[in-house]
Structures are given as structure tokens and as C-alpha cells.
Amino acid sequence: MTATVLSSAISAAGGGGLGSVGALMAYGEAFAFSREQEAEADSKGLYYATQAGFAPTAGAHIWENLLAELEASDHEEVTREGQSGGFLGTHPDIEDRIEALRGHASGNDQAEHDAHEYRAVIRPFLKDWLDMQIVRRDYGATLHLVDRLTALETDLGVLNYARGRVYALRDEDGDADAALEAYLAAVTYADAPADAWHGLGELYRADGLDQEAADAFATYLDHAPDARDRYLIQSLITELRGTSE
């Protein structure tokens, strides 16, 4: 899966249309197209999408979400491009595309799709997609994405896990506490992934809370009995508990 598809899919999970910083990785393939051709492609793409049953406002949402993530990015050059309104000289500025797509959508009375219904469709993939987003290490953009997805008030176990992992990896002042808070929130939900307990174990271990760490790692294995690191974690639990389990 390309970064474009990945970020677009998880952005769409919030019900706010497609689009993400990951899309930048694909636009290089379109350098040869002019601004006029890109504008025409947007217009025709929106037409075909609405004919296929997609919401007419989705086109504008794609670029609104992309612009928001560009501006939230940790990478200075990405943020700068987002703030300037465009990132490829041969392409329409992002704000121009948003305005044009809004104009194309106006007067179209087609009903919006149910965001909850869409989230249900992609739910089996959401955790993996978020993990793939997180390893790109653009923490600002990823936290923005997680916050937007959280607004739907569903999948909170997965989303709080993702937030905790971002903070744990970023490791700036206050991030360890923020990661702990997010992981603890995650495990209160039925959809919390096993990795949330693994993350808790790592944080407790770093703080010297051996028994708490051992309990968290044990719960991780209860939720992921076939985990690839099972034997390593079992050995770690033994060490942390100071027993010969």
C-alpha cells in the first residue's frame, strides 16, 4: 500500500473525506501535468465520484484535511509548503483547489454518507494503518490525524493506543506522562489492541515499576497469546517479578 492510500484511508475514517501528508509522496509522479489539467482532473474526478455515490463535498474535504496535516507536520519544509498554500509550482494552490471543489459541489443535494458506517467498514484495518502512519515519525501530523479521528467518538481503544505510541516515540518533555495517560485510557475500552498493554509495560519498566510492568506485559500476552515476542516477554516477566516462572 502506498503512503498516499494509507494516509487517505485513515483520514477518511474520521468521516471528513480523504487526504493526508502522505499524499505528497505520490504527487511527484504528476509533475508533467499543468495547473489547467489538474483543475480539470479535480472537476472530472468529483463528477465521477458523485456518480458512483460518494458525497459531493468529499473532494474539498480531501484537500482541507491535507492542508491541515501539512500545517501540523513536524517537518519544517512540509509545514512551510502548507502555510504557503501550495507545494508544486505546476499545480493549483491547495486553497484554490478547495474553493473550486466547493463550487462544484454547491447545489448538489446528494446526501452525505454516514461516517460511522464508513468507519465500521475500515475498522479491521485501522490499527495497522495507524501503525504504518506512526513509523513515518511525523508526530505533529499524526497527532492531528488521531485527534480528528477521535472526534467521531468511536474506536477509542485503538486511537488512544496510537496517541500513546506517538508520545512514547517522540519522547519530548512531558511525553512519557502523556503516553502513560493515553495508554491507560486505551485499555479501558474493549477495542484496545494488545500493544497498548505492551506500551504500558515499557513505560512502567522505564520508571522502575517492576511489578506493574510485569502485570502489564502479562496482560499483553493474555491478549496476544501468539505474539512473536512471547518468549522474550515471558523471560522479561520472570526477571521483573524476581521469580523462576
Side-chain angles (χ1 to χ4, degrees):
M1 176 179 288
T2 67
T4 303
V5 174
L6 163 65
S7 293
S8 294
I10 56 182
S11 293
L18 308 181
S20 167
V21 173
L24 288 172
M25 298 179 66
Y27 294 141
E29 300 171 3
F31 278 176
F33 296 105
S34 70
R35 288 174 176 262
E36 291 74 17
Q37 288 171 319
E38 287 296 317
E40 182 181 4
D42 283 349
S43 176
K44 288 185 176 180
L46 181 61
Y47 169 78
Y48 290 125
T50 55
Q51 291 300 302
F54 291 95
T57 55
H61 287 324
I62 290 174
W63 292 99
E64 289 167 347
N65 291 341
L66 170 60
L67 182 58
E69 288 184 41
L70 286 170
E71 293 174 342
S73 175
D74 285 342
H75 303 309
E76 182 179 346
E77 68 280 7
V78 175
T79 302
R80 184 169 57 250
E81 296 293 358
Q83 291 173 341
S84 69
F87 50 90
L88 294 177
T90 58
H91 290 245
D93 287 347
I94 297 176
E95 292 183 350
D96 290 343
R97 299 184 96 145
I98 293 172
E99 183 178 356
L101 287 165
R102 284 176 178 164
H104 292 315
S106 64
N108 190 323
D109 58 0
Q110 183 176 341
E112 295 282 344
H113 284 268
D114 185 348
H116 287 277
E117 181 181 353
Y118 182 83
R119 183 74 69 83
V121 172
I122 70 162
R123 183 163 291 127
F125 315 105
L126 184 58
K127 192 264 185 183
D128 288 341
W129 288 349
L130 285 167
D131 280 337
M132 293 171 68
Q133 172 81 7
I134 291 166
V135 298
R136 294 176 53 237
R137 294 182 181 271
D138 189 342
Y139 304 125
T142 303
L143 286 171
H144 175 86
L145 172 62
V146 170
D147 287 343
R148 178 150 49 81
L149 296 177
T150 301
L152 200 58
E153 298 185 353
T154 188
D155 305 303
L156 296 180
V158 171
L159 293 170
N160 277 294
Y161 150 76
R163 184 178 287 108
R165 188 177 176 205
V166 170
Y167 285 129
L169 287 172
R170 191 173 68 175
D171 196 27
E172 295 179 357
D173 289 344
D175 279 353
D177 289 340
L180 179 62
E181 180 180 355
Y183 283 141
L184 287 173
V187 300
T188 65
Y189 295 98
D191 67 318
D195 286 341
W197 280 275
H198 191 293
L200 275 175
E202 293 290 356
L203 291 174
Y204 285 141
R205 183 186 177 202
D207 284 342
L209 301 173
D210 291 354
Q211 295 306 312
E212 290 85 348
D215 290 344
F217 284 128
T219 306
Y220 161 67
L221 292 181
D222 288 343
H223 286 80
D226 298 323
R228 288 182 293 180
D229 59 351
R230 180 174 185 83
Y231 295 110
L232 176 64
I233 295 298
Q234 286 177 327
S235 176
L236 182 58
I237 292 172
T238 299
E239 177 184 337
L240 290 166
R241 287 182 172 162
T243 69
S244 57
E245 291 181 10

